[in-house]
Amino acid sequence: MATQDIIDTLAGIAPGSVLDGIRARRLQARENAQKSYLSLFEPIDASDFSLVERAAVAAFVTGLHGESPVATFYREKLAASSGGAALLEAIDAEIARGRTSGPYGSFPAGPLSAENTAGLIYRVSAASKSVLGTRLVAALEHAHLLVFRPRDAASADMKALLAAGWSATGIVTFSQLVAFLSFQVRVVSGLRTLAAAST
């Protein structure tokens, strides 16, 4: 039995609907998005980035984007993960602390410097650190950087992840997961807006 398409599910797209037809016109994009979800959240090997860590990062990143069916889905995924329920309160607290608008940050000296914008430099609270552990603390801080200050990302940020116990393979997967979530939030939001406009 085929796995239900996650974007269709989160966007509330019914088989045979107008939006189902629209998505069917871009079948390869639809299939690739589903394959990305499955490889990131139902991997064959999660030894470098555990399933509960993936759910925690997903709940945090989608929560930063605001209330949505996507954020609710990943909160529930975290709650259902082994050990995830204990993390949920800390993740919710960190979402509240980390919410801001962006992107912002600084460009290298030059013409684009006129577009430099200051913003929140997010750090996990002391209260949450003991609950989250070293790896997730580093992961949340880096995820916030990627979501809101991508232009500020530097080699020192990678070193912070390595120092917290992340492997190079884990960091690559982590970065792919954050990018996929940002894409997923926007696609689902756009599809839900289209659905609302067509009713």
Side-chain angles (χ1 to χ4, degrees):
M1 182 177 172
T3 305
Q4 190 169 9
D5 184 276
I6 187 64
I7 287 177
D8 285 354
T9 301
L10 295 175
I13 296 175
S17 67
V18 172
L19 287 181
D20 183 43
I22 290 171
R23 289 206 77 208
R25 291 181 205 155
R26 300 288 306 276
L27 190 59
Q28 187 173 8
R30 189 182 212 173
E31 290 175 349
N32 287 342
Q34 180 67 5
K35 287 175 184 175
S36 294
Y37 171 78
L38 293 173
S39 68
L40 290 167
F41 289 98
E42 297 179 18
I44 295 168
D45 180 4
S47 57
D48 288 292
F49 187 7
S50 74
L51 295 180
V52 70
E53 287 174 331
R54 291 171 196 238
V57 170
F60 178 71
V61 168
T62 57
L64 290 175
H65 285 281
E67 294 301 318
S68 73
V70 182
T72 300
F73 173 80
Y74 287 110
R75 284 186 86 260
E76 291 172 354
K77 192 172 191 67
L78 175 58
S81 300
S82 176
L87 295 173
L88 194 52
E89 187 176 347
I91 293 292
D92 282 344
E94 292 309 309
I95 290 168
R97 292 185 73 252
R99 276 209 181 112
T100 185
S101 59
Y104 53 86
S106 300
F107 288 101
L112 291 177
S113 296
E115 296 183 23
N116 289 355
T117 307
L120 173 69
I121 306 297
Y122 167 78
R123 294 290 179 259
V124 171
S125 68
S128 294
K129 284 184 177 180
S130 60
V131 178
L132 296 171
T134 305
R135 281 173 57 91
L136 273 178
V137 167
L140 297 194
E141 291 179 352
H142 195 75
H144 196 279
L145 172 74
L146 294 178
V147 171
F148 292 110
R149 296 188 297 121
R151 69 184 78 155
D152 289 346
S155 60
D157 302 301
M158 294 296 176
K159 290 176 183 173
L161 287 170
L162 291 168
W166 287 85
S167 67
T169 299
I171 292 170
V172 169
T173 305
F174 166 85
S175 300
Q176 291 171 333
L177 184 137
V178 173
F180 172 77
L181 292 166
S182 294
F183 157 79
Q184 189 182 53
V185 165
R186 285 167 173 77
V187 169
V188 169
S189 175
L191 289 169
R192 290 181 74 87
T193 300
L194 282 173
S198 65
T199 56

